[in-house]
CSV table of all heavy atoms in Angstrom, one decimal:
chain,number,residue,atom,x,y,z
A,93,ALA,N,68.0,113.0,30.3
A,93,ALA,CA,68.7,112.2,29.3
A,93,ALA,C,69.1,110.8,29.7
A,93,ALA,O,69.0,109.9,28.9
A,93,ALA,CB,70.0,113.0,28.9
A,94,LEU,N,69.4,110.7,31.0
A,94,LEU,CA,69.8,109.3,31.5
A,94,LEU,C,68.5,108.4,31.5
A,94,LEU,O,68.6,107.3,31.1
A,94,LEU,CB,70.3,109.5,32.9
A,94,LEU,CG,70.8,108.2,33.6
A,94,LEU,CD1,71.9,107.6,32.8
A,94,LEU,CD2,71.2,108.5,35.0
A,95,LEU,N,67.4,109.0,31.8
A,95,LEU,CA,66.1,108.2,31.7
A,95,LEU,C,65.9,107.7,30.3
A,95,LEU,O,65.5,106.6,30.1
A,95,LEU,CB,65.0,109.0,32.2
A,95,LEU,CG,64.9,109.3,33.7
A,95,LEU,CD1,63.9,110.4,34.0
A,95,LEU,CD2,64.7,108.1,34.5
A,96,GLY,N,66.2,108.6,29.3
A,96,GLY,CA,66.0,108.2,27.9
A,96,GLY,C,67.0,107.1,27.5
A,96,GLY,O,66.6,106.2,26.8
A,97,LYS,N,68.3,107.3,27.9
A,97,LYS,CA,69.3,106.3,27.6
A,97,LYS,C,68.9,104.9,28.2
A,97,LYS,O,69.2,103.9,27.6
A,97,LYS,CB,70.6,106.7,28.1
A,97,LYS,CG,71.3,107.8,27.2
A,97,LYS,CD,72.7,108.1,27.6
A,97,LYS,CE,73.3,109.1,26.7
A,97,LYS,NZ,74.7,109.4,26.9
A,98,LYS,N,68.3,104.9,29.4
A,98,LYS,CA,67.9,103.6,30.0
A,98,LYS,C,66.6,103.1,29.5
A,98,LYS,O,66.1,102.1,29.9
A,98,LYS,CB,67.8,103.8,31.5
A,98,LYS,CG,69.1,104.2,32.2
A,98,LYS,CD,70.0,103.1,32.4
A,98,LYS,CE,71.2,103.5,33.2
A,98,LYS,NZ,72.2,102.5,33.2
A,99,ASN,N,66.0,103.9,28.5
A,99,ASN,CA,64.7,103.5,27.9
A,99,ASN,C,63.6,103.3,28.9
A,99,ASN,O,62.8,102.5,28.8
A,99,ASN,CB,64.9,102.3,27.0
A,99,ASN,CG,63.9,102.3,25.9
A,99,ASN,OD1,63.4,103.3,25.5
A,99,ASN,ND2,63.6,101.1,25.4
A,100,LEU,N,63.6,104.2,30.0
A,100,LEU,CA,62.6,104.1,31.0
A,100,LEU,C,61.4,105.0,30.5
A,100,LEU,O,61.5,105.8,29.5
A,100,LEU,CB,63.1,104.6,32.3
A,100,LEU,CG,64.2,103.7,32.9
A,100,LEU,CD1,64.8,104.4,34.1
A,100,LEU,CD2,63.7,102.4,33.3
A,101,SER,N,60.3,104.9,31.1
A,101,SER,CA,59.1,105.7,30.7
A,101,SER,C,59.4,107.2,30.7
A,101,SER,O,60.0,107.7,31.6
A,101,SER,CB,58.0,105.4,31.7
A,101,SER,OG,56.9,106.3,31.4
A,102,PRO,N,59.0,107.9,29.6
A,102,PRO,CA,59.1,109.3,29.6
A,102,PRO,C,58.4,110.0,30.7
A,102,PRO,O,58.7,111.2,31.0
A,102,PRO,CB,58.5,109.7,28.2
A,102,PRO,CG,58.3,108.4,27.5
A,102,PRO,CD,58.4,107.3,28.4
A,103,TRP,N,57.4,109.4,31.3
A,103,TRP,CA,56.6,110.0,32.4
A,103,TRP,C,57.5,110.2,33.6
A,103,TRP,O,57.3,111.1,34.4
A,103,TRP,CB,55.4,109.2,32.7
A,103,TRP,CG,54.3,109.2,31.7
A,103,TRP,CD1,54.0,108.3,30.8
A,103,TRP,CD2,53.5,110.3,31.4
A,103,TRP,NE1,53.0,108.7,30.0
A,103,TRP,CE2,52.7,110.0,30.3
A,103,TRP,CE3,53.3,111.6,32.0
A,103,TRP,CZ2,51.7,110.8,29.8
A,103,TRP,CZ3,52.4,112.5,31.4
A,103,TRP,CH2,51.6,112.1,30.4
A,104,LEU,N,58.6,109.5,33.7
A,104,LEU,CA,59.5,109.6,34.8
A,104,LEU,C,60.3,111.0,34.7
A,104,LEU,O,60.9,111.4,35.7
A,104,LEU,CB,60.5,108.5,34.9
A,104,LEU,CG,59.9,107.1,35.2
A,104,LEU,CD1,60.9,106.0,35.1
A,104,LEU,CD2,59.3,107.2,36.6
A,105,THR,N,60.3,111.6,33.6
A,105,THR,CA,61.0,112.9,33.5
A,105,THR,C,60.4,113.9,34.4
A,105,THR,O,61.0,114.9,34.8
A,105,THR,CB,61.0,113.4,32.0
A,105,THR,OG1,59.7,113.6,31.6
A,105,THR,CG2,61.8,112.5,31.1
A,106,ALA,N,59.1,113.7,34.8
A,106,ALA,CA,58.5,114.7,35.7
A,106,ALA,C,59.2,114.7,37.0
A,106,ALA,O,59.2,115.8,37.7
A,106,ALA,CB,57.0,114.3,35.9
Side-chain angles (χ1 to χ4, degrees):
L94 184 61
L95 291 169
K97 283 187 178 185
K98 299 283 185 185
N99 206 25
L100 297 172
S101 171
W103 289 105
L104 292 174
T105 59

